[in-house]
Amino acid sequence: MSYTVYSSERLRKTAADAETKALLYLMNFRDDSPEMNFFIVDFFNDVTGMDRMGKKLWDVQSKATKNASAKEIGRELVTLFKNFLSEFTFVDYVIFMGGVPGTFRKDSSKNLFDVTNINEKAFSSVREGLMEESKAKEYIDNSFITDKNIDEFLKLVWFVVDDKLPQDYIKKIIKDYPSIIPSDSILIAIFNEIRNKQSELKNTIVEGVTIDKISDVLKYGRELNSHEIRLLVLQRILNTDPLSKGIPEPFMEVYSHYPVERRKMLLEQCQSAMCRALFNNSLKQAYWALIDNVYTSIIHNPGKNIDDIVDLIPDDVLNACIDFDAISLKYFVAKIMEGISQ
């Protein structure tokens, strides 16, 4: 089993924005989003979700244009169709679009739909566009471009019409904790930073590369993962890197009383606890709930010290975050305090 890369590309800003929205759609807006750990950029397709062990793939083609014709939309499906015909299996095939013609959908209120929601005339044009584009591509064997394959593929495609602003995609990451959601300008800046990181991954050339198993894609460094995206969001919200080295000023009271010969170990243990908590997928909601509680307590009680803030945290919130102990929790609170004060 093998897969060969064709037609990697560099994009305009509008298209890059659409690809970032598509990535964040995979990460946050699907029932199976928690299964995805990696987001592969411009290798299998514009964006491809991949599970933690490199066994499953979710394929997405993005199209920023808001007024493409049905036939043009069909043409855009060609890479998804190529992957459908490949030896690799994909969980889902998704086209993420900036908009569709008014006559495209039977029910225009649905922004996530399959071919059963496409009007007959529009569907005929989609099918025609896909057929023509497939025959024009040298990397698709014409013998596989059959009515049967086209129809089987189209039944599997999900059409997503983008109806959100960039900041909405960032808000989704922390939607349950409105008290820590920053202004739209900060949310847009975070979106742009993710977009730029995504674009930077295209600097390496992978055209013509062949891999024999899904996980081999990680050799080429074309992935972002959900952990680093959440960490980036957290850094910008707290105005600091929670995993950065050094001693936060509010923690000095604890640090200075600790035996000199054990201080290095103390900091390492606190850092380790923070890493475990941040990257513990099974307790992700508990971690964000703790951040929300600590952040809110600091904002509302600016004169309180670390111990005061810890005392304000409800027991159920504390008990849910099993990666922290009494000391590492104080370090965590100190990091948040330091960021807020900057």
Side-chain angles (χ1 to χ4, degrees):
M1 188 166 69
S2 64
Y3 182 97
T4 301
V5 179
Y6 296 102
S7 299
S8 59
E9 58 185 342
R10 295 178 182 272
L11 299 176
R12 301 181 306 277
K13 177 183 177 299
T14 308
D17 281 358
E19 289 194 4
T20 300
K21 286 182 174 183
L23 186 157
L24 294 172
Y25 157 77
L26 282 179
M27 179 177 165
N28 297 302
F29 286 86
R30 294 172 53 96
D31 291 340
D32 55 7
S33 289
E35 294 185 51
M36 301 180 214
N37 184 68
F38 298 104
F39 302 97
I40 313 302
V41 176
D42 199 28
F43 193 96
F44 300 105
N45 210 328
D46 291 331
V47 183
T48 307
M50 186 171 80
D51 70 323
R52 185 171 61 88
M53 297 307 296
K55 302 291 186 182
K56 299 167 73 174
L57 295 170
W58 290 259
D59 201 31
V60 181
Q61 172 71 38
S62 70
K63 181 171 179 60
T65 306
K66 295 182 181 295
N67 56 359
S69 68
K71 189 170 184 179
E72 288 173 323
I73 291 172
R75 292 183 183 278
E76 289 294 329
L77 293 171
V78 69
T79 305
L80 292 169
F81 182 54
K82 179 199 74 171
N83 289 340
F84 167 77
L85 295 174
S86 76
E87 295 180 11
F88 284 7
T89 300
F90 294 79
V91 175
D92 264 338
Y93 303 91
V94 178
I95 180 164
F96 188 90
M97 302 173 290
V100 294
T103 56
F104 192 79
R105 290 170 286 186
K106 294 178 181 177
D107 182 350
S108 60
S109 69
K110 291 184 178 181
N111 287 328
L112 169 64
F113 55 93
D114 61 13
V115 292
T116 61
N117 192 46
I118 300 177
N119 285 309
E120 185 176 345
K121 184 176 180 180
F123 176 75
S124 178
S125 294
V126 167
R127 198 176 182 284
E128 183 181 352
L130 173 58
M131 185 77 76
E132 289 180 1
E133 190 68 10
S134 298
K135 290 178 178 178
K137 298 296 184 183
E138 294 182 0
Y139 52 73
I140 296 181
D141 187 332
N142 278 7
S143 65
F144 291 108
I145 308 172
T146 63
D147 289 336
K148 179 182 178 182
N149 282 340
I150 291 282
D151 290 335
E152 285 185 0
F153 163 69
L154 288 174
K155 289 177 184 177
L156 300 176
V157 176
W158 285 100
F159 297 79
V160 179
V161 179
D162 175 30
D163 60 349
K164 299 174 182 64
L165 299 170
Q167 56 266 38
D168 296 326
Y169 287 91
I170 306 301
K171 284 179 183 177
K172 182 69 172 179
I173 298 174
I174 47 177
K175 66 179 177 64
D176 295 327
Y177 311 105
S179 64
I180 64 173
I181 295 177
S183 65
D184 279 357
S185 62
I186 293 175
L187 292 169
I188 292 170
I190 294 171
F191 178 91
N192 291 342
E193 191 167 353
I194 296 171
R195 182 198 65 211
N196 293 341
K197 285 182 176 292
Q198 191 172 353
S199 296
E200 287 171 4
L201 296 179
K202 300 188 178 197
N203 290 335
T204 56
I205 297 174
V206 293
E207 187 77 12
V209 163
T210 298
I211 59 174
D212 296 318
K213 57 184 179 180
I214 291 173
S215 60
D216 284 347
V217 69
L218 298 176
K219 297 176 182 178
Y220 297 92
R222 286 217 164 202
E223 79 282 351
L224 293 173
N225 66 56
S226 57
H227 291 156
E228 66 182 301
I229 293 171
R230 290 194 177 92
L231 177 58
L232 187 155
V233 173
L234 184 58
Q235 286 177 211
R236 299 302 170 260
I237 290 173
L238 301 182
N239 198 33
T240 186
D241 181 355
L243 301 186
S244 62
K245 302 297 182 182
I247 309 162
E249 182 62 33
F251 191 70
M252 285 301 297
E253 176 68 18
V254 177
Y255 182 79
S256 62
H257 284 86
Y258 215 72
V260 174
E261 67 275 11
R262 301 187 65 199
R263 289 178 181 174
K264 182 175 183 291
M265 179 198 69
L266 171 68
L267 292 178
E268 289 174 349
Q269 289 177 341
C270 290
Q271 280 282 317
S272 178
M274 288 187 65
C275 286
R276 288 196 305 272
L278 178 61
F279 300 134
N280 189 338
N281 281 338
S282 64
L283 297 177
K284 180 174 59 180
Q285 293 301 103
Y287 179 74
W288 282 100
L290 178 63
I291 292 173
D292 177 54
N293 196 282
V294 171
Y295 184 92
T296 304
S297 296
I298 293 171
I299 293 295
H300 291 165
N301 302 277
K304 301 288 188 182
N305 62 25
I306 295 174
D307 290 325
D308 295 330
I309 298 300
V310 169
D311 289 341
L312 291 172
I313 304 172
D315 287 343
D316 61 329
V317 175
L318 287 177
N319 293 336
C321 290
I322 61 175
D323 293 300
F324 288 112
D325 59 23
I327 297 180
S328 59
L329 178 64
K330 291 181 180 181
Y331 181 86
F332 174 74
V333 171
K335 291 294 288 185
I336 296 178
M337 277 186 166
E338 184 178 63
I340 290 174
S341 67
Q342 292 178 1

